[in-house]
Amino acid sequence: MSSTQSVSATQLRGVPETLMITLYARAMEHQRVNPILRDAKAAEIIQQLDYNFSKFEQGWSSQLGCVIRARQIDQIVQNFIKTHPYAVIVNLGAGLCTRFSRLQTAHVHWYDVDFPDVIDLRKRVFAACDSHDGSDHNHLVAKPILDFTWMDEIDRELKQPMMVIYEGVSMYLTEADNKALLQQIQAKFGPIEVLFDVISQRTARSTAKHDTVSKTSAEFKWGINQSLDLEHWGLGFILKREEFYLQHFLDDLQRLPIVWRLISQVFPSLPMMLFKNSGRIVGLQVGL
């Protein structure tokens, strides 16, 4: 990256720093000839930042996983918007997510929620972009997601369709935190669908071996092996969708390191078995 970036992000530590992993993944993918995900704004944002992205260069698994996950969530949210064009969408732990600009969101009221220092960074870096396209429908809420007063900032009419998203977030919260968040969302907004991704318990125990998170001071705190277990977290919690997005690693074997290509040839079912349950997207209805 250029050494003349104008917006410093070197102050980020812990979980907030992980937003750089997903931003970097989307920006690098956009530069490919046949990208899984196009994100011109991410590619523009990354040029505005003073940050050492080189430490993520060897993280092929994160790079590929992040863009597949983002593409799949994009599709789910876009389908929801097509059905409910005047919906409210709340994006928790938004970081430098560009989903609002990637999707067709003309009439949607969109809220990006994150720590105050992250929202401050977001304001500065988006303002520095040449293609800044602010919208009266894109609202920023500078509060930690476990400070449940962020819910008071959401302007929603009675029974207005609504979806809450949190991508790349649940694994940095404890089980108790995740449960409390979902229960508070249910009490304030239910019934709605909450869309988020989870990792397996095995992955949650392996922060030190992770190809990009291990380069930060963040730590995985929670994983789950059976998504149906979420239904036991509250009355009216119903698993509506479950998508094993990491199985798409095998859609293009040329994207994998040579050792995984060889394993796929000799033991075709082994990579699928190892990748499939490591990360999932779940849609949970909260409230009856």
Side-chain angles (χ1 to χ4, degrees), residues 60-100:
W60 72 268
S61 179
S62 286
Q63 199 279 326
L64 189 54
C66 283
V67 295
I68 292 173
R69 181 181 67 190
R71 179 192 64 185
Q72 301 305 105
I73 292 177
D74 277 4
Q75 291 173 357
I76 295 168
V77 177
Q78 190 68 78
N79 287 337
F80 179 81
I81 292 172
K82 286 180 180 178
T83 305
H84 308 288
Y86 292 89
V88 172
I89 306 290
V90 179
N91 187 23
L92 299 178
L96 295 177
C97 177
T98 58
R99 181 163 285 118
F100 177 78

Side-chain angles (χ1 to χ4, degrees), residues 186 191-194 231 234-241 283-288:
Q186 178 190 39
I192 63 169
E193 182 174 344
V194 183
E231 292 191 344
L235 182 65
F237 280 26
I238 302 172
L239 185 67
K240 303 292 288 187
R241 71 174 81 241
L284 192 68
Q285 178 179 307
V286 297
L288 298 173

Side-chain angles (χ1 to χ4, degrees), residues 174-189:
T174 66
E175 179 175 317
D177 289 337
N178 277 289
K179 186 180 297 186
L181 176 60
L182 290 167
Q183 290 172 342
Q184 289 291 325
I185 290 172
Q186 178 190 39
K188 181 73 173 182
F189 301 116

Side-chain angles (χ1 to χ4, degrees), residues 6-275:
S6 58
V7 181
S8 175
T10 57
Q11 73 279 10
L12 294 180
R13 294 290 185 273
V15 175
E17 188 181 4
T18 63
L19 70 87
M20 293 300 179
I21 298 172
T22 53
L23 174 70
Y24 177 76
R26 299 195 315 272
M28 293 300 99
E29 188 67 22
H30 182 77
Q31 297 176 21
R32 296 182 67 89
V33 175
N34 295 303
I36 291 171
L37 180 81
R38 293 195 180 278
D39 195 338
K41 185 171 285 293
E44 185 180 6
I45 288 171
I46 207 171
Q47 297 300 326
Q48 308 298 327
L49 291 169
D50 175 15
Y51 182 81
N52 177 26
F53 287 101
S54 64
K55 60 185 177 181
F56 302 141
E57 288 179 352
Q58 301 304 312
W60 72 268
S61 179
S62 286
Q63 199 279 326
L64 189 54
C66 283
V67 295
I68 292 173
R69 181 181 67 190
R71 179 192 64 185
Q72 301 305 105
I73 292 177
D74 277 4
Q75 291 173 357
I76 295 168
V77 177
Q78 190 68 78
N79 287 337
F80 179 81
I81 292 172
K82 286 180 180 178
T83 305
H84 308 288
Y86 292 89
V88 172
I89 306 290
V90 179
N91 187 23
L92 299 178
L96 295 177
C97 177
T98 58
R99 181 163 285 118
F100 177 78
S101 61
R102 291 201 303 268
L103 304 185
Q104 297 174 11
T105 54
H107 303 294
V108 169
H109 283 271
W110 190 286
Y111 292 83
D112 287 311
V113 183
D114 214 321
F115 294 105
D117 57 341
V118 174
I119 293 298
D120 177 66
L121 175 64
R122 185 182 180 91
K123 289 177 179 177
R124 289 186 290 122
V125 77
F126 273 62
C129 289
D130 294 335
S131 64
H132 175 60
D133 55 351
S135 169
D136 291 340
H137 287 188
N138 188 192
H139 314 280
L140 302 179
V141 180
K143 292 186 176 182
I145 66 174
L146 294 179
D147 173 0
F148 300 131
T149 61
W150 65 259
M151 299 181 188
D152 299 329
E153 305 293 323
I154 310 303
D155 185 10
R156 181 197 185 199
E157 296 179 4
L158 184 65
K159 296 185 178 181
Q160 185 176 8
M162 178 176 175
M163 174 180 278
V164 173
I165 312 162
Y166 51 105
E167 177 185 5
V169 171
S170 75
M171 59 287 300
Y172 301 111
L173 306 177
T174 66
E175 179 175 317
D177 289 337
N178 277 289
K179 186 180 297 186
L181 176 60
L182 290 167
Q183 290 172 342
Q184 289 291 325
I185 290 172
Q186 178 190 39
K188 181 73 173 182
F189 301 116
I192 63 169
E193 182 174 344
V194 183
L195 186 69
F196 58 106
D197 62 299
V198 298
I199 59 175
S200 68
Q201 292 177 346
R202 178 180 179 180
T203 303
R205 294 191 295 266
S206 304
T207 308
K209 297 179 180 179
H210 196 271
D211 62 359
T212 53
V213 178
S214 63
K215 311 301 182 185
T216 74
S217 58
E219 182 180 359
F220 295 144
K221 296 181 178 179
W222 176 71
I224 189 169
N225 292 336
Q226 299 295 330
S227 299
L228 276 172
D229 289 348
L230 297 170
E231 292 191 344
H232 302 299
W233 282 13
L235 182 65
F237 280 26
I238 302 172
L239 185 67
K240 303 292 288 187
R241 71 174 81 241
E242 180 179 39
E243 183 166 334
F244 298 87
Y245 69 92
L246 291 180
Q247 64 187 356
H248 292 290
F249 270 18
L250 303 178
D251 290 351
D252 182 359
L253 293 180
Q254 296 307 308
R255 293 289 300 265
L256 303 186
I258 189 168
V259 64
W260 281 106
R261 282 180 261 162
L262 293 173
I263 291 172
S264 297
Q265 292 176 0
V266 180
F267 305 104
S269 62
L270 181 59
M272 176 68 75
M273 184 171 60
L274 293 175
F275 291 148

